[in-house]
Amino acid sequence: MTNTSGIQLGILGTHLGFLDALVPDDNGKLPRTNDGQFVVAAGAQDIINNSPVKPDLIQISAFGTTLPEETDALIANLREMGLEPQLVMMVGGVNPMDPADEDNAVEQLLVNLNAALRNNITEVNSTSVETWMEGAPPANDAEFQTRVAQNIQLHYRAYQEANLADSCINHWNIEFLRPGEFQTFTSLQKIHPVISGLNEKIGSPFFKALIDAAHCGDSDLTLAQNQKLVADLGLADEIGPYHCSAPTTRGCLSTSDGWIEALLTANAQTGKLKSAFVEIFRHDDPALQPLRDLDPGHGIDTTLGRTYTQLMIDGLINTTRQLNNLKNRGLF
């Protein structure tokens, strides 16, 4: 099967499990298989070997505690497979909305920005606007605007200190999360002022929205409202990568109730979409117990007897078919 759409196709390693594949140990070492391979690389190779459609890209979770040589080796390994890596930068133990934590948050971001620069990576992503599963919603609009302003200050400072204006990095894509995972930036509407404010300071659309169908579907906005926001972001050239991921279950893409397909079409129609990633989480991942506590629907086993690798392959097949049909229908 050939992807004829012109939209690059990507995968993530979340279906392999956070602790089993993505999070470094106390010594900064990334998880490896018994024969010494990076678990993420071995999982990606498994998809490449068995999928009728070959992915172009891979997004890898990037933690500030990972040893630089580990990150560099993983990136080189993935490129040898024919995959172009992107980083998804995480911050931990800090509140990006608190001025007192700004120095620490910038320091964590610079670790991964420097890794991207060192390895000539062109796209970086992050969930760096607030702390996962902590905090409280803003009490009023004034408090929300204060949190927006602090995030603009924080990310612009990281942009300047890493000298991203004269670098290999073309875009920094910021992702919002569903209510409960985040408390403030819980919809496309709420993340937009951070992105537009940053681009206004820079003078170009360097920052973009990483749009995840699951988070859109689990937000408080309707499908029609999300489609309108996608169109508006397209006009501002602030469309980043698209995550094909099912609301609530985060499992088999067939459980999305149409959200993935509808928003993929909306993103494609802007003419600004460059890439689409299949993202699936394990229903029993120990690291995601807080999500199952938040919504038991996240713990539903959607595999119906398949492996998680097969779920990813099915997602790649279905996404390619939709992209090819959008191209065939002249919607790009």
Side-chain angles (χ1 to χ4, degrees):
M1 179 182 288
T2 302
N3 174 14
T4 62
S5 67
I7 305 300
Q8 289 190 297
L9 198 61
I11 58 174
L12 288 90
T14 50
H15 68 288
L16 300 167
F18 274 89
L19 298 179
D20 289 340
L22 304 173
V23 178
D25 64 18
D26 292 341
N27 297 315
K29 295 276 193 176
L30 293 171
R32 283 175 166 79
T33 62
N34 291 334
D35 61 358
Q37 285 185 288
F38 290 112
V39 173
V40 169
Q45 190 65 63
D46 199 13
I47 290 174
I48 291 170
N49 290 345
N50 293 284
S51 175
V53 57
K54 298 301 182 281
D56 308 295
L57 310 169
I58 184 168
Q59 289 181 342
I60 51 177
S61 301
F63 298 89
T65 55
T66 306
L67 290 172
E69 56 266 32
E70 289 281 284
T71 300
D72 295 351
L74 175 58
I75 289 169
N77 198 176
L78 293 167
R79 280 179 169 154
E80 288 171 1
M81 298 178 187
L83 292 173
E84 181 55 34
Q86 298 181 5
L87 301 185
V88 181
M89 302 183 293
M90 311 286 185
V91 294
V94 295
N95 178 3
M97 300 179 294
D98 185 349
D101 284 352
E102 182 179 316
D103 288 347
N104 195 339
V106 168
E107 183 180 351
Q108 291 188 37
L109 286 169
L110 287 175
V111 168
N112 287 312
L113 289 171
N114 287 330
L117 295 171
R118 197 168 59 243
N119 288 281
N120 202 34
I121 284 176
T122 60
E123 296 277 331
V124 295
N125 313 273
S126 70
T127 57
S128 54
V129 288
E130 62 180 291
T131 308
W132 189 63
M133 302 290 286
E134 291 184 16
N140 48 48
D141 185 62
E143 186 174 353
F144 174 77
Q145 295 300 335
T146 298
R147 295 180 182 186
V148 168
Q150 179 58 32
N151 261 302
I152 291 172
Q153 178 171 304
L154 165 68
H155 288 82
Y156 184 63
R157 180 178 158 189
Y159 170 88
Q160 288 184 303
E161 292 190 17
N163 194 28
L164 298 187
D166 299 309
S167 76
C168 58
I169 298 175
N170 296 325
H171 304 114
W172 181 341
N173 312 300
I174 298 179
E175 182 178 16
F176 72 92
L177 303 186
R178 61 174 288 175
E181 290 189 76
F182 279 177
Q183 310 301 324
T184 302
F185 300 103
T186 55
S187 72
L188 199 50
Q189 183 178 44
K190 291 175 180 176
I191 196 65
H192 192 193
V194 175
I195 293 165
S196 60
L198 281 162
N199 289 334
E200 185 175 343
K201 288 181 73 71
I202 293 169
S204 66
F206 180 85
F207 284 87
K208 297 179 186 286
L210 193 165
I211 302 173
D212 186 306
H215 300 316
C216 290
D218 286 325
S219 74
D220 60 354
L221 302 180
T222 66
L223 176 58
Q225 288 172 316
N226 276 285
Q227 290 169 315
K228 175 63 166 59
L229 286 162
V230 168
D232 291 343
L233 284 163
L235 291 174
D237 196 10
E238 292 172 343
I239 294 286
Y242 179 68
H243 277 184
C244 300
S245 195
T248 306
T249 69
R250 308 307 301 274
C252 181
L253 302 196
S254 64
T255 66
S256 80
D257 297 327
W259 278 85
I260 292 174
E261 296 83 356
L263 289 180
L264 179 55
T265 298
N267 275 269
Q269 286 176 316
T270 67
K272 302 297 184 180
L273 181 67
K274 303 298 182 187
S275 59
F277 290 79
V278 175
E279 182 180 39
I280 289 173
F281 291 86
R282 299 186 68 92
H283 71 283
D284 56 356
D285 188 338
L288 300 180
Q289 184 60 45
L291 272 185
R292 294 190 287 277
D293 295 339
L294 176 68
D295 189 333
H298 184 78
I300 294 172
D301 183 355
T302 64
T303 61
L304 301 179
R306 293 165 292 174
T307 66
Y308 272 94
T309 294
Q310 189 59 54
L311 249 65
M312 288 291 293
I313 292 170
D314 289 348
L316 288 169
I317 292 169
N318 292 339
T319 302
T320 300
R321 284 178 176 152
Q322 187 183 355
L323 287 170
N324 287 352
N325 271 308
L326 289 169
K327 175 72 171 179
N328 189 50
R329 291 156 55 201
L331 294 181
F332 290 159

